[in-house]
Amino acid sequence: PISWTPPPDAGEPLGCVATSFTFSSVFFEEECLGRFVRLETDAAEDGAAFLVEREEKFSQLICATALVDQRHARGLRSLRWDLLAARLPAGILHAKISVLLWTNAARIIVASANLTEDGYRRNHEVFGVLDYLPGGSAPLDVLRDLVAFLEDAVGYVDPKATTPDAAIARWQSFLKRVRAATDRKSVV
């Protein structure tokens, strides 16, 4: 997924959150997160070298989380990224929004594609990508509105909880960091 590849001079990857209706954990980890952190090895070809590089780069992230409709929140899991199940009382989580943050850039991706290989590689899908760079002109209102939506959406993981669990706390803290990094007129 080219949309997860950092823009030039983005800096170091800090974290990301994403939503999806259907989900492939292998695709999310190897393709989306792999591009986000710029993995140079390949899971299928590099074996142990891939595992070492993946561990090293993923351990540097402050947050990597997928929020997925409860019907599809399954698959292999990792200690380095979180998979949260959205349990809407009536309906489904159908949003496909990703927020990526590097030290010098932020990106939002709004798409019709689920976080699956079919969604990103085979289906005819639509992607909207906005990069927030120092001195850039991307509209901050769009980013703020999407961050507010994501702050609300994570409430469907455990609506009755009075204290967020660690994964939800990472999601919330990350979105606060995105908001703080982009609230200045010169983004990030």
Side-chain angles (χ1 to χ4, degrees):
I2 193 77
S3 57
W4 285 72
T5 301
D9 303 320
E12 295 302 313
L14 296 175
C16 61
V17 297
T19 64
S20 187
F21 174 62
T22 61
F23 181 73
S24 165
S25 59
V26 172
F27 179 79
F28 179 69
E29 181 173 290
E30 293 179 8
E31 298 294 330
C32 299
L33 293 179
R35 286 182 189 259
F36 173 66
V37 300
R38 298 182 195 108
L39 287 180
E40 296 175 12
T41 55
D42 182 273
E45 297 176 12
D46 298 317
F50 170 80
L51 297 175
V52 169
E53 182 188 24
R54 180 188 65 188
E55 176 65 19
E56 180 181 293
K57 290 191 175 180
F58 286 8
S59 71
Q60 302 300 310
L61 298 175
I62 57 174
C63 178
T65 306
L67 175 63
V68 178
D69 186 83
Q70 67 180 342
R71 294 159 192 82
H72 300 283
R74 58 183 169 267
L76 298 174
R77 306 230 181 165
S78 168
L79 295 175
R80 294 296 179 193
W81 57 268
D82 300 307
L83 176 58
L84 300 174
R87 294 171 174 82
L88 280 72
I92 60 173
L93 175 73
H94 204 264
K96 288 102 173 177
I97 300 167
S98 301
V99 177
L100 316 175
L101 183 66
W102 297 271
T103 53
N104 301 321
R107 173 177 287 164
I108 56 172
I109 305 166
V110 178
S112 62
N114 288 296
L115 291 170
T116 64
E117 191 167 352
D118 283 345
Y120 272 72
R121 296 230 167 87
R122 290 182 191 82
N123 300 345
H124 292 281
E125 304 284 358
V126 176
F127 289 80
V129 177
L130 288 173
D131 284 337
Y132 294 84
L133 306 162
S137 62
L140 287 173
D141 288 348
V142 173
L143 184 126
R144 288 183 191 119
D145 288 349
L146 288 175
V147 166
F149 170 81
L150 293 170
E151 288 168 337
D152 291 341
V154 79
Y156 289 109
V157 173
D158 190 0
K160 296 178 183 174
T162 55
T163 306
D165 72 6
I168 294 171
R170 279 189 291 277
W171 175 284
Q172 293 169 332
S173 177
F174 172 74
L175 291 175
K176 285 179 186 168
R177 182 143 183 191
V178 169
R179 191 182 296 276
T182 57
D183 271 348
R184 298 181 299 276
K185 193 66 174 163
S186 58
V187 177
V188 187

